[in-house]
Amino acid sequence: MSELGKVFFIINKYSGTGYEPAIEGRIIDRCGELGIVCTIQFTQHSGHATELAKQAVSENFKTVFVMGGDGTINEAAKGLLNTDTALGILPKGSGNGLAGHLGISKNLTRALDLLASHQIISMDTIAINKQLSVNVSGIGFDGHIAGLFGKNGKRGLINYIRLVIREFGRFKEFPMDITIDGKKISRDSFILAFANSSQFGNDARIAPTASVTDQLIDICFIRKVPLLQVFGFAFKMFMGKMEQSEFVDVIKGKKITVELKAPMAFHIDGESHHDEKSFNVEIQPGSLKMIVPKNIPSF
């Protein structure tokens, strides 16, 4: 028997590579086994997950589970930020970066086990130009790719890799002036990432030592890697050894400003945004309650 009582489910059918109608029945059956009253709503448009999350709060739900990718998780989190309602994840995106960092299984049956056994943590979030980021956001090449990814209707890791290969040679490093907790430095970078969790998704760990509860942002400067060293670099990323790469420098901080020479592509949790040349980035400590596996000691 779960102590949750009632749970509000938000489902994005269009995250990832497809939706099976049987999923709804599996959720209802599991809730029935645990004596949980469940409400299920499907997102209808961009931003709808935020509206639904706010609805759940107004109806006194203390738990909201979201089925979708990092973009859908981000939307729902906007409606739950600084409330007593906790957010759970049923991963169904192309990358599932935050779920991966938190140790939440991509397998629906195992993810639904969180209804029966879990812990609740107070997770940090990031504000980027007053917009919420819960996982990893970035300026530069990854922002450029985010703007192109899925425009042809194709998502998934393979299509992402194909896009990266196609665009890699065209994109150049860019100069910036960046101030981290009052210290100003100048850098050239191919990607400037702001990491709350450790990974973009699919176990590609951009910031292996990042924590969602340390009240710090991992600021990752990534130089353009020579073609002959790309596979070695990718190996380090997927093995969680990015700190060993000569092309990566990570600085932890709480408050960051970035000034660019020209507007640059950027993304927030994998969702592309209009190019900008000035960025204000700040940690928001313990601002989101998250449901996570019980057997993992730290996040």
Side-chain angles (χ1 to χ4, degrees):
M1 178 71 69
S2 171
E3 77 279 9
L4 294 179
K6 63 177 186 176
V7 177
F8 195 104
F9 289 86
I10 298 172
I11 298 176
N12 182 353
K13 292 183 179 181
Y14 305 103
S15 286
T17 55
Y19 177 76
E20 300 175 6
I23 286 173
E24 187 177 354
R26 292 173 65 186
I27 291 172
I28 292 170
D29 288 346
R30 187 63 173 135
C31 287
E33 293 169 4
L34 297 169
I36 293 171
V37 176
C38 66
T39 294
I40 299 176
Q41 295 280 358
F42 295 91
T43 59
Q44 303 296 325
H45 53 79
S46 177
H48 195 203
T50 304
E51 298 170 17
L52 292 172
K54 289 180 177 179
Q55 176 186 332
V57 173
S58 70
E59 295 177 0
N60 297 314
F61 281 84
K62 295 301 181 185
T63 309
V64 172
F65 268 81
V66 178
M67 174 174 279
D70 287 319
T72 310
I73 304 308
N74 178 291
E75 281 194 12
K78 290 175 183 174
L80 303 179
L81 202 67
N82 296 312
T83 73
D84 290 328
T85 301
L87 174 61
I89 302 174
L90 302 176
K92 190 188 164 289
S94 297
N96 304 303
L98 182 58
H101 175 87
L102 296 175
I104 298 171
S105 176
K106 295 178 184 178
N107 177 278
L108 179 59
T109 299
R110 289 198 289 270
L112 284 171
D113 285 344
L114 287 171
L115 293 168
S117 177
H118 62 266
Q119 59 180 311
I120 297 177
I121 63 171
S122 294
M123 190 182 92
D124 304 331
T125 62
I126 301 172
I128 301 176
N129 288 356
K130 298 184 179 180
Q131 299 180 79
L132 179 68
S133 173
V134 296
N135 187 44
V136 178
S137 301
I139 305 168
F141 183 65
D142 55 340
H144 173 67
I145 294 297
L148 299 174
F149 185 50
K151 282 192 173 180
N152 61 358
K154 297 179 180 179
R155 296 184 71 85
L157 178 60
I158 297 301
N159 289 306
Y160 188 89
I161 292 172
R162 286 173 179 162
L163 187 59
V164 167
I165 292 171
R166 190 189 80 190
E167 296 294 319
F168 184 82
R170 307 176 187 179
F171 201 88
K172 308 299 181 185
E173 289 187 354
F174 57 95
M176 74 185 80
D177 293 321
I178 180 167
T179 302
I180 302 172
D181 295 336
K183 183 179 179 181
K184 185 176 180 179
I185 55 178
S186 296
R187 291 281 181 98
D188 289 348
S189 201
F190 190 62
I191 295 173
L192 175 63
F194 304 106
N196 189 36
S197 89
S198 59
Q199 61 170 281
F200 285 124
N202 294 301
D203 293 322
R205 282 165 279 183
I206 185 70
T209 65
S211 166
V212 296
T213 58
D214 64 355
Q215 302 185 15
L216 292 169
I217 302 166
D218 281 44
I219 306 135
C220 308
F221 300 89
I222 304 174
R223 300 293 303 269
K224 189 167 186 177
V225 181
L227 280 174
L228 291 177
Q229 299 185 53
V230 164
F231 288 106
F233 180 84
F235 178 80
K236 288 186 174 71
M237 181 181 291
F238 283 99
M239 293 300 293
K241 297 180 178 180
M242 286 287 280
E243 72 279 1
Q244 297 179 9
S245 173
E246 63 183 294
F247 302 103
V248 177
D249 186 21
V250 179
I251 301 174
K252 295 179 184 285
K254 295 176 180 286
K255 190 171 183 178
I256 305 102
T257 60
V258 181
E259 296 293 336
L260 306 178
K261 304 291 185 185
M264 179 67 62
F266 77 104
H267 73 95
I268 292 180
D269 295 338
E271 300 297 318
S272 64
H273 287 253
H274 293 299
D275 296 7
E276 295 189 28
K277 64 182 295 186
S278 297
F279 297 85
N280 293 293
V281 184
E282 191 166 358
I283 195 72
Q284 300 179 128
S287 51
L288 181 65
K289 294 188 182 301
M290 287 293 304
I291 291 177
V292 296
K294 205 169 193 175
N295 59 347
I296 300 178
S298 62
F299 298 92

